[in-house]
Amino acid sequence: MTRALKVAALAGAALLTRRALRKRIARSPLWPLPALETPISGHSPRRWLRTPIVSRTQPADGVLQLVLESPELPPWTPGAHVDVRLPSGLVRQYSLCGDPADAGRYTVAIRLVEDGRGGSREAHAQLVEGAELELRPPRNRFELVPSASYAFVAGGIGITPILPMLRAATAAGAHWTLVYGGRSRASMPFLAELAAYGSRVTIVAEDEAGLPDLTTLSETGPDTPVYCCGPEPLMAAVRSAVPPGTPVHLERFTPTSAATGGSRPFTVELHRSGRTIEVAADESALTAVRRELPDTPYSCEQGFCGTCQHRVLAGEVDHRDELLTDQEHEDSMLLCVSRARDNHLVLDL
C-alpha cells in the first residue's frame, strides 16, 4: 500500500471514530458511563413509577386514605401533587398530604364523588392494600413561599395540600391561621391532627355554623400570603375578601370557568391525516379530533394530566391548561381545554 493510501485509510478511520464518539456522547453526557433512563438532575416528570399500597384507611366519611412506600419515590415539597394512573387507565391528580421528611413514603386522600366522572369511584372500589399503583413524580404549582406569617383556607378535601404546609410553617416558626370548612365534621378528614394546633385552626362545619367567615382576611397584607384550596365558590370568596396587594395562591383540580366557558368555533387541520375539522363553540378540540381519530388518547379532560398534549405546527393557541410550561406552550397544546386564539390551528396529527 502506498503512503498516500495509508494516510487516506487512517484519515477515514479517524473520521468514522470521531463520528461514533460524538453519537455516543450525545446519547450520554457522562460517557463512558451508560446513558441514564432519567436525568441526573432528578426523576423525569414523564416517567411512571410503580409503588405498592401499604395502607388503606378511611379518615372521614367518603374519604379514602392511601399510604404508598417505595425507595424509588423521589422527594417532594408541601403543596405538591402526583398524577395517578388508575387500573382503567384514567389519570387523576391527588395532593400529597403526608410529611416530606418521610423519605420513600407518600400519603394521598381521595374524596368519593358519586356524581363525578368516575375516577374517585374507581379509586375507592379498586385501590386496595397490597395492590400496585402507577404514578408520575411529584409536581408543585402550589409552592409554599418563605414568610413570617400565612393565612390558610381549606374546603373539604382541599385540606390535603394545606396539611404539609402547616407542618412546614410551624417548623419554621411562622405565625399562621387556618380556616377549614366542610359539609359536616364527619366528612372532614384530619380533624384530630389539626386539633393539636389549638386556636390557630378554626373548624367550620356547614351543618352547624353555615359557611366560613372570611372577614379576617381583610386584615392581611403584602407580608401575609394567603393559600386556599377548595371548591371554586370558596376560592372566589377568598379573592373577594383579601385587600389589594395581598398575594393569593390557589390550588384547583377542576378547570376554571375561563377554561370551560363559551368560546367561538374554529377549524383544526390534521396535518398528517390530511383532514380539516370544525370545532364548535360548545365543544373541545379533543371532542372534535376524536370524531375523526377515535384512538386519540385522553384522560382527565380538564387540562391537568397531559395525556392529550399534541404538537402545534401553525396558528396561535389560547392556552387554558394548568400543566404545560411556557416552553411547551410554544409548540404544543392540550386538546381538552385549549383552543385557537384566532380561527385556525394546524396539529401534527
Side-chain angles (χ1 to χ4, degrees):
M1 181 181 293
T2 66
R3 179 178 178 81
L5 289 175
K6 288 181 179 179
V7 171
L10 289 173
L15 179 61
L16 292 174
T17 300
R18 186 165 56 203
R19 287 177 177 173
L21 181 60
R22 285 176 178 172
K23 290 181 180 179
R24 187 66 190 87
I25 292 175
R27 288 195 299 270
S28 175
L30 300 178
W31 186 89
L33 297 178
L36 302 176
E37 182 181 356
T38 58
I40 58 173
S41 59
H43 289 72
S44 167
R46 298 297 183 190
R47 177 188 175 193
W48 287 99
L49 307 171
R50 296 184 67 87
T51 177
I53 299 171
V54 299
S55 172
R56 171 185 164 126
T57 55
Q58 184 175 327
D61 291 349
V63 177
L64 168 67
Q65 178 174 292
L66 302 175
V67 178
L68 319 170
E69 286 188 357
S70 169
E72 291 293 311
L73 297 178
W76 58 283
T77 54
H81 72 275
V82 290
D83 297 337
V84 172
R85 182 152 62 191
L86 300 173
S88 67
L90 288 176
V91 178
R92 294 294 183 264
Q93 293 71 41
Y94 301 116
S95 296
L96 295 174
C97 57
D99 188 343
D102 292 337
R105 182 183 177 95
Y106 289 176
T107 302
V108 297
I110 305 169
R111 166 80 66 191
L112 177 62
V113 183
E114 291 287 2
D115 59 350
R117 295 171 298 119
S120 68
R121 292 195 301 273
E122 180 179 352
H124 277 247
Q126 298 191 34
L127 300 185
V128 298
E129 188 172 325
E132 275 200 327
L133 198 59
E134 286 188 305
L135 59 126
R136 287 196 181 110
R139 289 181 285 126
N140 199 337
R141 58 179 183 229
F142 195 45
E143 193 80 46
L144 185 67
V145 298
S147 179
S149 63
Y150 302 93
F152 298 104
V153 181
I157 201 65
I159 189 63
T160 50
I162 300 293
L163 201 60
M165 293 184 177
L166 304 183
R167 302 187 190 108
T170 302
H175 172 77
W176 60 264
T177 60
L178 166 67
V179 176
Y180 176 26
R183 294 191 304 272
S184 66
R185 289 179 181 270
S187 69
M188 300 168 69
F190 310 119
L191 291 182
E193 182 171 344
L194 292 172
Y197 293 119
S199 61
R200 285 184 285 186
V201 176
T202 301
I203 305 296
V204 183
E206 188 174 350
D207 62 350
E208 299 174 6
L211 298 177
D213 180 5
L214 301 178
T215 56
T216 56
L217 294 180
S218 63
E219 302 171 4
T220 59
D223 297 331
T224 301
V226 176
Y227 283 81
C228 176
C229 183
E232 187 66 35
L234 176 65
M235 290 190 283
V238 167
R239 288 193 296 266
S240 298
V242 300
T246 298
V248 178
H249 304 264
L250 305 175
E251 176 76 316
R252 54 170 55 88
F253 288 104
T254 57
T256 64
S257 56
T260 58
S263 303
R264 60 172 179 244
F266 62 98
T267 59
V268 171
E269 180 183 339
L270 308 179
H271 181 70
R272 284 186 281 127
S273 304
R275 311 175 201 177
T276 298
I277 60 176
E278 300 289 333
V279 182
D282 60 351
E283 69 175 350
S284 68
L286 175 65
T287 299
V289 168
R290 283 180 56 83
R291 280 200 300 270
E292 296 291 328
L293 304 176
D295 292 333
T296 302
Y298 72 100
S299 183
C300 78
E301 297 184 84
Q302 299 190 78
F304 295 123
C305 72
T307 305
C308 65
Q309 179 180 352
H310 285 284
R311 187 179 173 209
V312 179
L313 302 178
E316 189 174 357
V317 180
D318 177 11
H319 292 289
R320 304 183 180 188
D321 64 271
E322 301 280 348
L323 174 67
L324 301 185
T325 64
D326 290 342
Q327 183 176 359
E328 289 173 319
H329 279 160
E330 292 177 1
D331 62 1
S332 65
M333 67 180 286
L334 297 188
L335 300 183
C336 63
V337 291
S338 297
R339 305 181 69 82
R341 190 171 294 278
D342 296 318
N343 300 316
H344 187 71
L345 290 175
V346 181
L347 301 179
D348 188 20
L349 280 169

